[in-house]
C-alpha cells in the first residue's frame, strides 16, 4: 500500500490526519477506547450490586482480564483473515452485545452466566489501539510514525482517565446497570466508526502466503525478544499501579492515591509526547534497553520510599520512563514487521505481552493489600 502523504521531516499534528480515512479511524479508536476505561468500573460495581459480593465481582473481572490476554492471538488472526474493517465490526458487536446481555440476565441467579458473559466481552474486545497504529503506519511516511505514535499514547492515556469518569457519572445518575449498557454501546459505536474507514479484505499478500512471513507464529518468533521485554515492562507497570494505592493507604494518605497515579500518568503522557517529537540518533533497540533499565531502577527506588517527599519525584521518574518505553516498543513492533498482516500481528501481540506481564505484576501486591486490582492497565491496554 502506498503511503498517502509526501515525506516531510517535521509534520504538524494536523498533518497526521491528512491521509484519507485517518480522521474517522482516529475518532472510532478514541470512542472505542473510552469503553476500555469504562468497563472495569461499570462491571465491577454492577456485579457487586447484583450479587452483593465484591469477591464475585473481582473474580468475574479476572475472567475479563484473562480473556483479553488469552484470546489476543485469536483477535489478531481474525483481523488478518477477514481484514481490519470486518474484524472491528464483528468483535465490537460481540463484545458490546455481551455487556448488554449481561444487564438483561443479571437477576437470573446464575453467577456463572454473568462470569461467562464478561469473559466473552474480554475475549472479543476489539484491538482499537493496535489497529489505529497499523492504520497510521500504513498511511504515513516512516519518519512521521514516531510523532503519530506519541500523539496516540497521549490520546490513549486520556481515554483511560476519562472513561472511568464517564462510567462514574452514569452510575451516579442512573445506576451501574446503565453504566454497563453505555459501556457496551460505546464499544459498538467505536467499532462501527473504525470499521467504516479501516482496511477491508484479507491482509495476507501472495508473498506472505508463499513465505509464511505473515503468519502469527512467524511474527511471534521474529519479535519474541520484544515480547519478553514488554512483558517485563508490563510487570513493573502492574506492580506499580497496585503498589501506589497500597503505599498511600499504608502511609495514611489513602485519599491521595488517585492523585499519585495521575502524577504517574501525567509524567508518562508528557514524556511520550516530547519523545515522539525528536529524531534520535541511537537505534530504537538501544533506546528501549536504556529506558527499561531506567524504569526498573526508578521502580526499585520507589519500592523503598517511605514518604511522599521521596515517592512523588520517583513516581514522575517512573512515568517518564514508561511513556517512551511503551512507545518505543510500539515503534519496534511496527518496524520489525513487513506488510499489513505482519504489522497487525505484531501490534496486537505486544499488547498481549504487556497485559500478561501487568496482570502478573498486579497479582503480587494484590494478595497482600486491601486495594482492589483494576482489570485494565492504562499503559498497555488490550486494545
Amino acid at each position: 500500500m502506498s503511503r498517502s502523504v509526501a515525506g516531510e521531516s517535521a509534520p504538524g499534528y494536523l498533518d497526521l490526519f491528512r491521509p484519507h480515512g485517518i480522521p474517522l479511524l482516529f475518532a472510532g479508536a478514541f470512542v472505542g477506547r473510552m469503553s476500555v476505561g469504562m468497563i472495569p468500573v461499570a462491571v465491577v460495581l454492577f456485579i457487586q450490586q447484583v450479587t452483593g459480593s465484591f469477591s464475585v465481582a473481582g473474580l468475574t473481572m479476572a475472567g475479563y482480564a484473562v480473556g483479553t490476554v488469552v484470546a489476543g492471538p485469536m483477535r489478531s488472526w481474525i483481523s488478518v483473515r477477514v481484514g481490519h474493517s470486518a474484524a472491528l465490526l464483528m468483535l465490537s458487536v460481540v463484545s458490546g452485545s455481551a455487556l448488554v446481555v449481561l444487564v438483561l440476565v443479571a437477576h437470573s441467579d446464575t453467577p456463572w452466566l454473568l462470569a461467562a458473559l464478561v469473559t466473552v466481552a474480554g475475549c472479543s474486545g476489539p484491538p482499537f489501539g493496535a489497529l489505529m497504529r497499523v492504520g497510521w503506519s500504513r498511511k504515513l511516511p516512516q519518519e512521521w510514525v514516531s510523532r503519530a505514535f506519541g500523539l496516540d499514547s497521549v490520546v490513549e492515556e486520556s481515554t483511560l482517565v476519562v472513561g472511568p469518569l464517564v462510567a462514574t457519572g452514569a452510575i451516579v445518575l442512573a445506576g451501574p446497570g446503565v453504566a454497563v449498557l453505555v459501556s457496551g454501546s460505546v464499544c459498538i459505536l467505536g467499532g462501527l466508526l473504525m470499521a467504516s474507514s479501516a482496511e477491508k479484505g484479507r491482509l495476507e499478500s501472495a508473498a506472505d502466503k508463499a513465505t509464511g512471513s505473515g503468519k502469527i507464529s512467524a511474527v511471534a518468533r521474529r519479535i519474541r525478544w520484544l515480547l519478553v521485554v514488554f512483558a517485563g515492562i508490563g510487570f513493573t507497570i502492574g506492580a506499580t499501579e497496585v503498589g501506589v494505592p497500597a503505599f498511600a493507604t499504608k502511609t495514611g494518605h489513602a485519599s491521595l492515591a488517585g492523585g499519585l497515579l495521575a502524577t504517574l500518568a501525567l509524567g508518562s503522557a508528557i514524556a511520550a509526547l516530547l519523545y515522539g517529537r525528536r529524531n534520535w540518533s541511537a537505534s530504537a533497540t538501544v533506546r528501549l534497553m536504556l529506558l527499561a533499565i531506567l524504569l526498573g531502577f526508578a521502580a526499585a527506588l520507589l519500592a523503598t520510599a517511605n514518604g511522599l517527599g521521596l515517592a512523588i519525584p520517583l513516581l514522575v521518574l517512573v512515568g517518564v520512563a514508561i511513556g517512551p518505553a511503551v512507545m518505543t516498543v510500539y515503534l519496534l513492533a511496527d518496524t520489525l514487521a513487513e506488510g499489513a498482516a505482519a504489522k497487525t500481528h505484531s501490534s496486537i501481540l505486544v499488547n498481549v505481552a504487556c497485559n500478561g506481564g501487568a496482570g502478573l505484576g498486579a497479582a503480587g501486591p494484590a494478595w497482600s493489600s486491601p486495594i482492589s486490582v483494576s482489570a485494565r492497565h492504562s499503559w498497555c491496554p488490550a486494545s
Side-chain angles (χ1 to χ4, degrees), residues 137-151:
S137 172
R138 297 268 290 160
K139 293 189 176 184
L140 292 177
Q142 187 61 45
E143 61 270 22
W144 289 24
V145 172
S146 177
R147 179 164 291 199
F149 283 13
L151 177 61

Side-chain angles (χ1 to χ4, degrees), residues 5 8 26 60 98 109 119 129 178 185 189 193 200 209 212 220 240 248 284 290 319 333 336 341 352 374:
V5 182
E8 298 174 14
F26 182 84
T60 301
D109 197 27
T119 301
V178 172
S185 300
L189 177 59
L193 287 172
K200 296 175 174 61
K209 294 177 182 178
T240 302
L290 292 176
L336 291 174
V352 171
S374 169

Side-chain angles (χ1 to χ4, degrees), residues 10 22 45 62 65 124 169 180 182-183 198 213 223 253 280 317 327 340:
I22 286 294
L45 292 180
S124 56
V180 174
V182 172
S183 301
S213 60
I223 65 168
H253 300 92
W280 299 89
L317 183 59
M327 186 178 149

Side-chain angles (χ1 to χ4, degrees), residues 1 3 76 79-80 84 129-140 142 145 149 199 203-204 208 213-216 219 222-223 329-351:
M1 183 177 184
R3 298 191 184 272
S76 187
S79 298
V80 168
H84 291 182
L131 298 190
M132 178 72 243
R133 289 188 293 274
V134 174
W136 249 328
S137 172
R138 297 268 290 160
K139 293 189 176 184
L140 292 177
Q142 187 61 45
V145 172
F149 283 13
E199 292 195 52
L203 299 182
E204 279 185 302
D208 290 334
S213 60
K215 291 184 178 179
I216 191 169
V219 174
R222 193 177 312 137
I223 65 168
V329 170
Y330 289 155
L331 288 170
L332 280 168
D334 180 71
T335 57
L336 291 174
E338 291 292 336
K343 286 181 182 293
T344 299
H345 288 319
S346 185
S347 186
I348 293 176
L349 287 177
V350 292
N351 275 345

